[in-house]
Every structure is written in C-alpha cells, then in structure tokens.
C-alpha cells in the first residue's frame, strides 16, 4: 500500500507551510505530496493567510524537492482552459524532472467561483470530458505535428502542441462517486481512479463500476490503480488522538467511522481492510499542517507496517 500526503491549503496555509510539509513527507519516505485546488475556505474560520494556487505551489515544490511525486486532488476544470492547463502541467513536470501527476475534476464549489469571479458553467462534466481529450491529445501529438479539436465547449486550431512533459506519460487521476459517467471517463482516460472519503463498502462498489467500465471499453481493469482519500488522525494513546481531533474540529468516533483514526494499530488494520477490496494507494488528508510530529508518527508506526 502506497501512502501519500494530501493537504487542503484553502483552510489556511502559506507556501512556506506547504513546503515544510512536502519536505517532511519526502524525508519520511512518503510516496507523494498532493494538494487540493480550491480558492475558498470551507466551514468556519478565516482561512488566513489566504488561498494559494495549486499549480504555482507545485511549481515551487518541483524545484525544492528531489524525489517525492507531486499532484492535485483534484484540479478544478472550471479554473483553467485546457490548453493553458496542458502547458502549465507540462512545464511543472519539466521543472520536477518528471514527478508530476494530474488529478482532474469537473469543479463543484460554486461559492469560490462567485468569490473570485470565475464562471461556473452548468454543464461541467461534458466540459471535463473535452478537457481530458484536449490535454491528452496535446501531449500525445508528436513533436513537429499539429493538434486541432472541434468540440462543443472548446476549439483548438492547428496547435503546435508544445511543450511536452518530461514524462512520456503523465499519470492522470479521475475520481468521484458518480455511477455512470465517472467510471466511463476513468476507463477512457485515467491511469488511476480515486474515490474520496468513502466507506469500504462504497469504495468496493465504485471500484467495481470502474473495473466493469474498463472491460467494456476493451481495457484490462488491472491497468488502473485504485485509491482512496481519507482523513487521518493518529495518536500513541487516546488522549493524543482526542487532542489532534479537537484541533481539526472533529469528533474521534466520527473520524474512526469515516476515516483513519485511532492508534497506529487501529489505522493499520483499517488500511488493510481497504487493501482487501482493491485499494493499493491511500491519500492521507492532513488537516493540521503545523503538526509535523503527526507525519513522523504515521511514518514510523503506520507506513512501516503497510508498505
């Protein structure tokens, strides 16, 4: 089981804080550092010092880390035009020496669009499908060739399809709970399917839908990586778990029911249950980004048992 660190900077984090977490994650042997792509805090609080942009953050981290993979859960399709996003991701991949992964979603949080003057179109999944076709088409066009696309939402004419990523194939993640269109898009475009904040039972059902969609599309279901994103709250004892839960404003029993919480042994056991239904990678949602001792504990007593 690969363990990756997943952050939510819109809740309140500077680039410096994110850099400290990414470097700690790299030093502690985690597989990747991921971040969300949001511009507005969710829930109570002021979100100070304010939002950071996902791809500007990853560009900085690309130059300040050496090994760890870097990506988004999920880049919002509403924030960037597909041709621009293809350029941005390719450049950051070059800057990192080929360590970037692109999680791409349709975008869903209407309030942040209103807050920053970003259009929030009604038909977003159809746009996402065209974005996936364009981004993969641009990257897949041979150097010296041209790429054109005439879609309902986007049109590209005679694009030189540059720059290219450092990797021959940037891994693409698609995720979500949708029962039909999401599995179909994952089967067509994804290297990895991720389901966020889902129970073992719901994860197994959704993995099954994606596997069926892949087979229907003429692709082996085992070509995809299947992963989960889950909040994590680990402590050496009950008091430490309760302290960490209180800091992030969550109830311990709720965290145990809906995430990975409790002692290292409890968390290892629950990770194993996700592994049994086909998950081979878990994104650990870290909500207190100042608690680097939490990462150290997870590395020493959880990661060491499951990888």
């Amino acid at each position: 089981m690969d363990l990756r660190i997943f952050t939510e900077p819109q809740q309140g984090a500077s680039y410096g804080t994110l850099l400290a977490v990414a470097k700690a994650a790299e030093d502690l042997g985690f597989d990747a550092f991921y971040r969300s792509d949001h511009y507005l805090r969710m829930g109570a609080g002021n979100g100070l010092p304010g939002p950071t942009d996902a791809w500007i953050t990853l560009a900085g981290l690309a130059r300040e880390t050496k090994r760890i993979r870097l990506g988004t859960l999920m880049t919002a399709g509403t924030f960037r035009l597909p041709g621009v996003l293809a350029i941005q991701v390719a450049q950051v991949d070059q800057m990192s020496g080929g360590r970037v992964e692109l999680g791409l979603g349709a975008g869903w949080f209407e309030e942040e669009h209103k807050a920053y003057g970003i259009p929030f179109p009604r038909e977003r999944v159809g746009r996402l499908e065209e974005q996936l076709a364009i981004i993969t088409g641009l990257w897949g066009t041979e150097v010296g060739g041209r790429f054109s696309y005439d879609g309902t939402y986007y049109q590209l004419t005679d694009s030189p399809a540059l720059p290219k990523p450092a990797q021959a194939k940037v891994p693409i993640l698609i995720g979500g709970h949708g029962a039909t269109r999401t599995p179909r898009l994952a089967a067509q475009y994804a290297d990895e399917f991720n389901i966020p904040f889902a129970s073992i039972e719901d994860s197994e059902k959704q993995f099954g839908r994606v596997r069926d969609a892949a087979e229907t599309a003429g692709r082996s279901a085992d070509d995809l990586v299947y992963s989960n994103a889950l909040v994590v709250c680990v402590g050496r004892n009950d008091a430490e778990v309760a302290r960490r839960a209180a800091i992030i404003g969550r109830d311990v029993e709720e965290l145990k029911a809906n995430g990975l919480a409790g002692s290292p042994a409890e968390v290892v056991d629950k990770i194993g249950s996700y592994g049994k239904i086909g998950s081979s990678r878990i994104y650990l949602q870290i909500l207190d980004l100042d608690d680097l001792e939490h990462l150290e504990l997870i590395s020493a007593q959880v990661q060491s048992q499951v990888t």
Side-chain angles (χ1 to χ4, degrees), residues 150-223:
D150 185 18
T152 301
Y153 306 104
Y154 304 104
Q155 295 79 41
L156 285 74
T157 303
D158 203 25
S159 173
L162 296 171
K164 302 301 185 190
Q167 299 174 86
K169 176 73 170 67
V170 173
I172 291 178
L173 287 74
I174 294 174
H177 297 259
T180 54
R181 296 175 80 178
T182 297
R184 179 177 60 80
L185 288 178
Q188 185 173 359
Y189 291 106
D191 300 282
E192 178 176 340
F193 179 78
N194 177 269
I195 184 165
F197 315 119
S199 67
I200 294 168
E201 294 75 19
D202 288 345
S203 297
E204 186 173 24
K205 289 178 183 177
Q206 188 69 335
F207 290 164
R209 294 186 186 111
V210 174
R211 295 181 71 89
D212 289 344
E215 297 290 352
T216 298
R219 180 180 181 187
S220 171
D222 292 333
D223 283 349

Side-chain angles (χ1 to χ4, degrees), residues 22 59-60 83 86-87 101 119 149 180 203 210-211 251 262 265 271 300:
I87 292 170
E101 303 180 2
Y149 185 87
T180 54
S203 297
V210 174
R211 295 181 71 89
D251 175 77
I271 288 173

Side-chain angles (χ1 to χ4, degrees), residues 68-118:
I68 201 164
R69 297 191 67 78
L70 304 166
T72 51
L73 283 181
M74 297 284 187
T75 290
T78 48
F79 288 174
R80 303 165 187 87
L81 296 171
V84 173
L85 181 59
I87 292 170
Q88 291 173 323
V89 177
Q91 184 178 4
V92 178
D93 195 50
Q94 292 172 1
M95 293 168 70
S96 71
R99 293 183 283 126
V100 158
E101 303 180 2
L102 172 61
L104 185 59
W108 62 270
F109 190 18
E110 186 173 5
E111 291 304 310
E112 67 186 339
H113 293 75
K114 292 179 179 178
Y116 286 96
I118 303 168

Side-chain angles (χ1 to χ4, degrees), residues 7 20 24 44 59 65 83 87 92-93 99 101 113 125 132 140 162 202 219 243 245 248 252 263 277 282 285 297 306:
T7 61
T65 58
I87 292 170
V92 178
D93 195 50
R99 293 183 283 126
E101 303 180 2
H113 293 75
V125 178
L132 288 162
L162 296 171
D202 288 345
R219 180 180 181 187
R243 176 178 63 80
I248 63 174
V252 172
S263 68
I277 55 97
I282 292 183
Q285 185 195 43
L297 175 62
V306 301

